[in-house]
Structures are given as structure tokens and as C-alpha cells.
Amino acid sequence: PWNSSWLLYCAAARSAITFLEPQNPCDGERLGLQGHSMGGRLTVLTALDPRIKAASPSVGGSGYLYTDIAGIPGSARHMQAGSERDLYLKTPDCKDYWPLIKCPIMFLGATNDFNSPMEFVIRGFHSLPNDDGVMSFTPHMNHRFTADNYAARIRWFDAHLKKSFSFPKTGISSLELKTKSGIPRFTVEPDQSSKHEIKKVSVFYGFDRDPRARFWRSAEVNREG
């Protein structure tokens, strides 16, 4: 790992945090961290620093990239097997950093991203030591997202660094596959405790195995109650 460029990137990120802490008008007690793609991975590798109070990686940092996607043999990224590969997977690979991240974290993704497949992001989130994290994905896209998706990141930092916004909790959802009509039914109960009115609920579904090339369909949404 000492020969990996990621060591230098991580050292630079930690140095940047140290530089920012005493700066005026920066508040060293409320530092946030964000990064995109390669920067998203660096965000995950650095978010375990206790000085970071909120983080938001995007389309990078999922980990597990050297693991096959379920049902797709040979889909993993290639690295020659051996002791060097084993050491790499134990050190700069993001999968072992997620369990160490204690600050609130929001992942911005694209449903068809090649660099952080959605299934791997969810797998990383399942290993977080607490439940203080959310995911926001833009459907149909690869390695980018829309302005409203990015706005969620701004509000995430408003909520956790400025305390000026009440970020909604993840909605409660359930999927019923066996119905009288034969049409699967997905139910979601959005968090309505915030003062902000919900304008719209959209539901997308897809069943292709490969998340990098999955085709997403929009479902008919009906409100009850």
C-alpha cells in the first residue's frame, strides 16, 4: 500500500483538513467533505477522520469492485491474483472503510454507474456502524446526476453542519409480489414530519441483472390517504 497513489491522496486530504481547521471564517468544528468519482472514493477513505462531521461521496467509493456482480460471472475488475492483490484489498479498498465511518453520510449516485454499481453502494451502506446515512440516485444515468439530485447534497450539509434544515428520513417501503391482479405492488410511506410539502413521488423499477446496463421503467403511482 505504500506504493499506492491513494496513500498520497489520503495524506493530502488529511492535510487539507488540518489546514482548514484554524482558518477564519472556517468553523473547524463543522467540517464537511464531498468528492466526485475519484474524489468520491477519496471521500470514503477520508470520512472516518473524526474531524469530518458530514460527508457526501458521489459515483465513487462503493468498494467491492474486484467482486463479481451477483449473477454475472467475470464482471469484477481485474487484478492479478497474489499477495499484492490481497494486500491491496485489505488497505486502500473502500469496502473496509464503510464500517469505520461514524459521521452522517449521503451517497449521490446514478442507477447505471460503472464506477460504483448501485448494488455495491447498498452493500457498503449495510456495513455502516449506525443508521445515519442516505442514498440518492438519479435513474437512467451513468456517472452523473441531475440538479435536484445535487440539491439533496446541499440540504444534507445544511442539516448536519448548519443545523438549518430538517432532512427527511428514508421512507418506509414494502414490496408485494403476489397480488390478486398478478401485478406487483410497491408501497412507500414518505416522511412527512418536515414542514416541506411533498410535491411528487415517482417509482422506477428494473430487473436486469447488470446494474450498469439496467433499463428502468416508471410505474403508475396512486396516492392512498
Side-chain angles (χ1 to χ4, degrees):
W2 288 100
N3 290 325
S4 171
S5 58
W6 286 106
L7 179 73
L8 299 178
Y9 303 147
C10 289
R14 299 293 184 100
S15 296
I17 297 170
T18 301
F19 174 78
L20 276 174
E21 276 186 296
Q23 298 299 317
N24 186 24
C26 179
D27 184 348
E29 297 298 319
R30 294 187 294 173
L31 295 177
L33 181 67
Q34 69 178 49
H36 185 83
S37 189
M38 180 176 172
R41 179 176 179 180
L42 183 57
T43 298
V44 173
L45 294 175
T46 311
L48 49 79
D49 190 305
R51 296 173 294 177
I52 296 300
K53 300 303 186 290
S56 178
S58 54
V59 295
S62 66
Y64 304 101
L65 294 178
Y66 296 92
T67 304
D68 282 344
I69 297 172
I72 311 178
S75 57
R77 288 188 181 177
H78 299 292
M79 185 187 297
Q80 186 174 351
S83 59
E84 292 185 359
R85 180 180 186 272
D86 294 340
L87 185 59
Y88 176 87
L89 295 178
K90 291 180 181 178
T91 43
D93 188 32
C94 287
K95 66 178 176 58
D96 292 324
Y97 286 73
W98 285 98
L100 304 175
I101 298 175
K102 297 181 179 179
C103 71
I105 186 168
M106 161 180 270
F107 191 95
L108 293 191
T111 56
N112 297 61
D113 186 38
F114 78 97
N115 195 46
S116 282
M118 190 162 60
E119 272 83 336
F120 289 161
V121 177
I122 296 171
R123 190 172 174 181
F125 262 77
H126 283 165
S127 67
L128 285 171
N130 53 51
D131 295 328
D132 204 359
V134 297
M135 293 170 277
S136 181
F137 292 94
T138 294
H140 309 301
M141 289 189 175
N142 172 27
H143 215 56
R144 61 194 179 96
F145 37 80
T146 54
D148 54 349
N149 191 251
Y150 184 81
R153 168 184 275 170
I154 303 300
R155 285 308 199 182
W156 182 253
F157 286 125
D158 285 344
H160 293 283
L161 299 181
K162 295 182 179 181
K163 309 297 182 183
S164 61
F165 181 78
S166 178
F167 203 90
K169 298 177 182 178
T170 300
I172 300 172
S173 61
S174 62
L175 176 62
E176 185 182 0
L177 294 176
K178 295 182 179 180
T179 62
K180 291 182 179 180
S181 65
I183 300 174
R185 177 182 173 87
F186 179 77
T187 304
V188 59
E189 297 179 40
D191 176 22
Q192 299 188 63
S193 62
S194 171
K195 63 180 180 180
H196 304 284
E197 181 182 354
I198 296 174
K199 291 185 176 180
K200 181 181 179 183
V201 172
S202 299
V203 175
F204 297 92
Y205 68 96
F207 43 80
D208 304 273
R209 285 186 174 182
D210 193 342
R212 300 165 300 181
R214 185 172 290 149
F215 184 80
W216 292 90
R217 300 158 175 83
S218 57
E220 179 181 346
V221 178
N222 297 307
R223 180 172 179 172
E224 295 181 359

